[in-house]
Amino acid sequence: MTEPNAPLPVIVQGLGPMGLRIAEAALADPFVELVGAVEIRPEVAGRPLSDLVGGAPAIAIRGSVAEARADSGASAGILLHCTGSHLDRVFPQLEEALRQQLHVVSTCEELTFAEGRHPEIAADLDRLATGAERTVVAAGVNPGFLMDALPASLASISHSIRSVSVRRVQDPSRRRIPFQQKVGMGLSSAEWEERRSAGGFGHVGLQESAWLLASALGWELVDWQHEMVPCRGERGEPVTGTLETLRGSTSDGRSIRLHFEANAAVDEEHDEIVVDGTPLLRLRFEGGVFGDDATAAAVLRAARVIPNARRGLLTVLDLPLR
């Protein structure tokens, strides 16, 4: 059992660009101790973590959570899980973590509001986590904060709300390569259309943000409008990114509007929330919030408070503030 005030032991699973950033941030966080790392790529598994993360402890990267858990010697701990966006694909990994008696903080976007897209998996995870007396939650900046938790918190000081609108405009050229690929940066128009038709393209989590925000407001959204279009440069130049918009309305006309634009040609990055209620509230981050660093911070903050959270499958709205 972890001693009171001792750092919480954490294992990072998934050593892509985001997982490595989370590992680096964990090393600088006095409230957690990085005790394990998991990656299935054969060119990485077995190597010391210090090969990939400067200043990391002398621990070997393992191919499974069970191996990393055994190496750590910790009787309890938290898995910082960052291997994929789609819940049905990563569910076996979450199941294994619970079998290893680990809490889970995941960057999986579809886990942010799992019951919306995967109600059966959500029910299974809640049952497994409750039975293991552990907690599973997804954390991140988007979804997980800027388009859902933060506007939900802002809305708590306004009443008679008619709409909540969130605009997130960013330059993907400053982000990691997988994110650039996810929003189609650099593709031709024909390639962008082909990728969209194939599915699994664009920002994952916009619908989850709308569900989570609606849940916080106590609204039932019955009418949905979703659009995704390419951001185009000059004629003949590659696509510069993707614009997605989502609008959900209640039966009496209240609405949530989400605007997500990842566009290398934007003049000014920003994030803006408008709560149209009494009083009218507007919050704007000039220059935008850099998503990779913010996601690492959100994951670690969730890890710090998870021992004080209730057991089962949660959303970020269920986590204590401290």
Side-chain angles (χ1 to χ4, degrees):
M1 183 173 180
T2 304
E3 293 295 326
N5 302 318
L8 299 165
V10 299
I11 296 170
V12 177
Q13 182 177 22
L15 298 179
M18 195 66 247
L20 292 175
R21 194 176 290 262
I22 289 171
E24 291 170 353
L27 291 174
D29 191 323
F31 296 101
V32 303
E33 180 184 5
L34 183 58
V35 299
V38 181
E39 176 56 61
I40 61 172
R41 287 176 294 157
E43 68 271 22
V44 174
R47 294 170 57 185
L49 182 59
S50 55
D51 280 2
L52 304 181
V53 180
I59 55 178
I61 300 168
R62 297 303 187 189
S64 72
V65 170
E67 291 174 296
R69 171 84 162 73
D71 283 353
S72 73
S75 59
I78 303 166
L79 181 69
L80 309 182
H81 173 267
C82 36
T83 68
S85 301
H86 302 286
L87 181 53
D88 55 343
R89 301 178 194 174
V90 305
F91 173 69
Q93 299 169 353
L94 307 180
E95 192 176 25
E96 181 192 12
L98 292 171
R99 284 200 303 267
Q100 294 298 319
Q101 295 295 299
L102 296 170
H103 298 293
V104 180
V105 180
S106 177
T107 61
C108 176
E109 288 93 334
E110 289 185 353
L111 185 62
T112 307
F113 195 84
E115 66 186 77
R117 204 181 300 260
H118 300 286
E120 293 183 359
I121 294 178
D124 285 345
L125 274 175
D126 187 56
R127 174 180 55 80
L128 291 169
T130 303
E133 297 187 353
R134 294 295 180 263
T135 299
V136 176
V137 68
V141 69
N142 185 37
F145 188 73
L146 280 172
M147 285 187 144
D148 35 58
L150 183 57
S153 181
L154 193 63
S156 66
I157 56 168
S158 183
H159 68 85
S160 306
I161 296 171
R162 294 167 288 278
S163 68
V164 179
S165 302
V166 187
R167 289 177 58 90
R168 183 153 164 75
V169 179
Q170 56 187 304
D171 179 356
S173 66
R174 298 178 57 227
R175 298 285 299 277
R176 61 195 187 279
I177 296 298
F179 180 81
Q180 296 176 14
Q181 295 170 338
K182 187 165 63 174
V183 299
M185 178 181 158
L187 297 179
S188 68
S189 296
E191 289 171 331
W192 190 96
E193 294 292 349
E194 183 179 349
R195 287 276 302 278
R196 179 177 64 172
S197 299
F201 184 51
H203 173 62
V204 181
L206 205 62
Q207 184 100 29
E208 280 71 19
S209 284
W211 277 322
L212 189 62
L213 178 53
S215 173
L217 295 169
W219 294 1
E220 181 181 358
L221 302 179
V222 296
D223 181 33
W224 295 92
Q225 298 174 18
H226 181 221
E227 185 178 11
M228 180 166 61
V229 297
C231 301
R232 305 182 188 276
E234 300 297 328
R235 178 175 294 183
E237 291 185 356
V239 168
T240 55
T242 295
L243 167 63
E244 283 192 72
T245 56
L246 180 67
R247 184 181 187 275
S249 302
T250 65
S251 58
D252 60 357
R254 292 169 294 169
S255 65
I256 290 173
R257 302 184 185 95
L258 304 180
H259 173 112
F260 179 83
E261 183 176 352
N263 180 3
V266 295
D267 294 327
E268 180 186 7
E269 295 182 278
H270 66 274
D271 295 295
E272 184 177 66
I273 302 167
V274 178
V275 177
D276 183 9
T278 305
L280 174 70
L281 301 171
R282 186 184 304 270
L283 177 64
R284 184 179 174 97
F285 295 94
E286 299 293 349
V289 175
F290 188 64
D292 293 356
D293 290 335
T295 292
V299 166
L300 290 174
R301 180 257 165 188
R304 290 195 297 270
V305 302
I306 214 170
N308 298 321
R310 67 173 173 82
R311 300 301 171 237
L313 174 62
L314 310 186
T315 74
V316 289
L317 299 180
D318 301 312
L319 291 176
L321 289 177
R322 63 176 181 174

